[in-house]
Amino acid sequence: MKPEPEKLIPKHGGYERTKTWQLADLIYDITVRFCDKYVDRRSRTHDQMVQAARSGCQNLQEGSVDSAVSKKIELKLTGIAKGSLEELRRDFKKHLQHRELPEWPPNHPALTRFKAVRCASLEQFRAWVAEEARLAGQERKNTDGKNTDGHGQARTATNEASSGVRAGPCSSVPVRVPSPEVCAANGALSLLNLCIHLIGRQMEAQADAFEKEGGFTERLYRVRSARRTAP
């Protein structure tokens, strides 16, 4: 069978079906609502986090569409998207650090449950946060009976509201009770880590394709040469 001739404008777009764009779009939705709830709307940080999330999503979209005429622009925009999401990842980390809230390690039980859910929508993300709050409430209930001084008086939980950690029977052994803010920030960081990793692989594939096939100019030359030599 005779192979189809190369087209000057190849197939392009279809970004909605890519895992990187789907993750970036979800991260954007989460970031907007997180910032509205936990970051001062009048602060530059609020605007910067929202704009970084939007930039990650929009540049992946534009790169996919522009790939029709320029693989170089596609690669550049994909790189900009990666840089924007790396900036957002740092902002989420600093949000936790500045408030003395915990950043969870990859093997944290709540993150293990989060990864198993494979959130694909804002509703699923919210449901996971609500479930973690329910589990935290159950843990709090189970420890209430133990968290007394022997005379029925409750012990004081130092910085409980700010740290997201409830003090245990001994102040040196806290019982971890994450707040919705801690859950949401760490969940967002988990999604960002995955998305940034996948975008890095996507850029490697785009660079490889550009090296092998060239861009619009090289494609134009091949198409015109093929037409001139056609019988």
Side-chain angles (χ1 to χ4, degrees):
M1 181 180 294
K2 187 177 180 180
E4 293 185 6
E6 183 176 14
K7 295 181 179 180
L8 182 59
I9 306 296
K11 290 182 179 180
H12 57 281
Y15 56 87
E16 301 99 327
R17 296 188 296 274
T18 64
K19 184 64 174 178
T20 50
W21 184 86
Q22 291 170 358
L23 282 171
D25 188 54
L26 175 57
I27 290 166
Y28 180 29
D29 289 342
I30 291 170
T31 301
V32 169
R33 286 155 180 81
F34 181 90
C35 289
D36 284 349
K37 190 168 185 178
Y38 299 113
V39 182
D40 186 349
R41 297 193 186 198
R42 298 166 295 180
S43 69
R44 287 191 63 192
T45 300
H46 182 288
D47 292 341
Q48 287 172 338
M49 289 182 70
V50 171
Q51 287 305 314
R54 183 180 185 278
S55 175
C57 185
Q58 289 298 109
N59 278 290
L60 287 174
Q61 175 181 333
E62 292 176 20
S64 177
V65 174
D66 289 349
S67 67
V69 294
S70 178
K71 291 292 183 182
K72 183 178 179 180
I73 293 178
E74 178 189 26
L75 182 58
K76 178 181 178 180
L77 291 174
T78 304
I80 292 173
K82 183 171 182 285
S84 295
L85 294 177
E86 287 178 339
E87 176 186 337
L88 179 63
R89 176 167 62 180
R90 177 173 173 79
D91 283 336
F92 269 109
K93 285 176 176 285
K94 285 297 182 182
H95 179 91
L96 292 171
Q97 179 183 332
H98 292 164
R99 290 159 179 77
E100 298 183 350
L101 297 172
E103 180 183 339
W104 295 338
N107 62 345
H108 190 281
L111 279 185
T112 300
R113 292 189 290 269
F114 177 67
K115 293 169 185 175
V117 172
R118 296 181 179 272
C119 291
S121 68
L122 181 62
E123 289 71 25
Q124 289 179 323
F125 186 86
R126 283 173 162 172
W128 169 74
V129 171
E131 175 62 11
E132 290 303 319
R134 186 191 69 79
L135 293 174
Q138 184 63 44
E139 181 179 359
R140 189 177 291 116
K141 180 179 179 181
N142 292 339
T143 57
D144 276 346
K146 305 174 184 177
N147 198 31
T148 60
D149 61 3
H151 299 284
Q153 299 298 317
R155 297 179 186 272
T156 301
T158 305
N159 294 328
E160 178 180 334
S162 62
S163 67
V165 176
R166 178 184 175 85
C170 299
S171 60
S172 61
V173 186
V175 176
R176 295 289 175 181
V177 181
S179 66
E181 180 181 6
V182 171
C183 291
N186 279 282
L189 281 170
S190 180
L191 291 175
L192 280 161
N193 289 336
L194 176 58
C195 189
I196 290 169
H197 170 71
L198 293 178
I199 291 176
R201 291 173 54 183
Q202 184 174 333
M203 290 181 66
E204 291 176 359
Q206 290 172 352
D208 185 61
F210 185 68
E211 289 178 4
K212 292 179 179 178
E213 303 169 12
F216 182 80
T217 301
E218 292 85 356
R219 189 162 61 248
L220 176 61
Y221 174 78
R222 291 195 299 267
V223 170
R224 294 182 67 181
S225 297
R227 288 193 176 182
R228 283 198 298 267
T229 57

